[in-house]
Amino acid sequence: MSKSFSIVERRTLLTSYVFSVERRTISHEGTTFERDIAVHPGAVAMVAVNDRDEVGLVRQYRVAADQVLWEIPAGTIDASDADPLFTAQRELLEEMGVTAATWRKIAEVYVSPGWTNQVMHIFEARDLTFEDRVPDGPEENAAEVLWLTREQVRALLSRDDINDATLTIGLRHYLAVNDGS
């Protein structure tokens, strides 16, 4: 593969409170072409494991899919908190009403590199303390928080309607790496 790709122009087409869309002009071997890219500040997701070795999940409406999805808690990195761990700590409290004493980064993945630069930072959170949820927005207010055992997670992952990639990465980590200790 040639390494001679170079972005020669960036033009902002749209700016929203979560992301922007840029039209990028790329030069390659004497020609140019354009691609539209969703520019995103990044996001976090958490595999929260309680002292009974259950993992915390959220059932939440997502307008892009127009359905209620099973998810691990997650959220967007705000401009004011560029540190993914700080964002993860804030989001875990907002969505699940939980703080964690022990944090470990388990993955950093591109969500869909063909059209966005969004990176998802996935953390494991343990040694939990339960507090009041601090939901942000109508979807989080209506969300359902659930704690599942390993057997329930295995059954959930075998279902045909589980289609959230971050959930799958997080739960497979929970099953493969954590032995319940």
Side-chain angles (χ1 to χ4, degrees):
M1 177 175 91
S2 172
K3 297 182 182 201
S4 63
F5 292 93
S6 175
I7 299 171
V8 295
E9 182 182 6
R10 297 169 192 246
R11 197 166 14 125
T12 301
L13 304 178
L14 169 86
T15 301
S16 80
Y17 74 97
V18 176
F19 66 92
S20 62
V21 177
E22 286 182 355
R23 177 155 296 146
R24 295 181 179 179
T25 304
I26 300 97
S27 173
H28 176 66
E29 296 182 348
T31 63
T32 60
F33 59 95
E34 293 181 334
R35 295 291 183 264
D36 293 344
I37 304 298
V39 179
H40 192 282
V44 297
M46 294 71 67
V47 178
V49 182
N50 67 23
D51 61 359
R52 292 183 308 275
D53 194 41
E54 297 167 328
V55 67
L57 299 183
V58 178
R59 297 248 318 133
Q60 182 171 312
Y61 175 75
R62 292 299 188 177
V63 68
D66 191 27
Q67 60 181 309
V68 174
L69 298 177
W70 287 91
E71 299 179 341
I72 56 176
T76 299
I77 298 172
D78 296 338
S80 63
D81 47 84
D83 177 21
L85 178 57
F86 179 83
T87 303
Q89 292 166 336
R90 184 196 72 227
E91 289 290 336
L92 190 60
L93 181 59
E94 282 180 12
E95 292 196 13
M96 302 211 53
V98 172
T99 60
T102 304
W103 289 87
R104 182 167 62 107
K105 192 172 212 177
I106 58 173
E108 186 172 311
V109 297
Y110 281 104
V111 174
S112 185
W115 66 272
T116 182
N117 68 343
Q118 180 183 353
V119 172
M120 178 68 74
H121 305 266
I122 306 174
F123 293 89
E124 179 184 85
R126 286 186 175 266
D127 300 317
L128 307 181
T129 301
F130 291 82
E131 302 182 19
D132 291 333
R133 287 180 67 225
V134 188
D136 181 25
E139 295 97 331
E140 283 185 16
N141 276 314
E144 180 182 9
V145 174
L146 303 156
W147 292 91
L148 275 63
T149 64
R150 289 178 178 278
E151 295 75 30
Q152 291 169 318
V153 167
R154 285 185 193 93
L156 183 71
L157 287 172
S158 70
R159 293 174 31 181
D160 290 338
D161 64 335
I162 301 304
N163 48 21
D164 181 271
T166 304
L167 169 80
T168 303
I169 292 168
L171 292 184
R172 296 226 180 264
H173 164 80
Y174 163 73
L175 291 174
V177 176
N178 299 307
D179 64 4
S181 61

